[in-house]
Amino acid sequence: VDTLGVKNRWIVRIFGELPHLRHMEKKLDVYRDIVDWSTYDLILLPDAFDGHREHQYVTCHLIPHILKERGHSPNCLIGYYPVWGAVTCPNYFERITDVYPRKQAALKCYQSRMKERDHMGLRVEGLNYFYGFLADYTCKYAEALRIEPVSELLQREDRRDWARFF
């Protein structure tokens, strides 16, 4: 985040050892009280079809559960972003060609994953290149999100794909 120049930041700590799911469920009260969700215009979540079980849990179960309990801004939007895959049916593209070298520098700071998967930078570049093509034929790199009203997320049935890991 320093490389990107982010000054105001906050990271939710995940409790417990792997697998985190049981520990996250036990800490629901903590997550429920951390954020006043009623003030948010946009909530960013991992894509629901992400290949990571905790990401699926957060998007398909945890956040919908909390938003149903605590409420939300009536015009709130959900933005789904890619983590370990691509965004399904993106409908918003942010062109990043001008800042892509800075993104590459930031990714190189994530040393634990880059050592583990030295090809990660190439995969991210390929995905951003593909999103650039989808954004418009002249854009080299883009980020993609799927944006929808929060009501869509709350009406969707919990797929419970993440539950197979309990």
Side-chain angles (χ1 to χ4, degrees), residues 36-71:
D36 178 4
W37 300 92
S38 66
T39 63
Y40 280 57
D41 296 322
L42 176 66
I43 299 171
L44 296 172
L45 298 174
D47 188 79
F49 293 96
D50 188 85
H52 194 280
R53 63 183 179 254
E54 281 86 10
H55 297 169
Q56 291 176 0
Y57 173 81
V58 167
T59 299
C60 298
H61 181 73
L62 181 69
I63 298 301
H65 181 83
I66 292 172
L67 291 174
K68 286 176 184 175
E69 269 190 22
R70 296 283 316 267

Side-chain angles (χ1 to χ4, degrees), residues 81-83 85-87 90 92-107 114 120-145:
Y81 62 89
V83 182
V87 173
Y92 174 82
F93 299 94
E94 185 69 33
R95 287 140 182 87
I96 63 167
T97 303
D98 294 345
V99 296
Y100 192 77
R102 197 169 180 190
K103 178 179 178 173
Q104 283 180 311
L107 285 172
M114 291 305 169
M120 191 58 67
L122 290 173
R123 289 183 178 204
V124 171
E125 182 176 9
L127 189 58
N128 288 143
Y129 189 81
F130 174 68
Y131 288 149
F133 179 75
L134 292 180
D136 66 47
Y137 299 108
T138 63
C139 178
K140 186 169 183 181
Y141 297 114
E143 294 286 355
L145 298 173

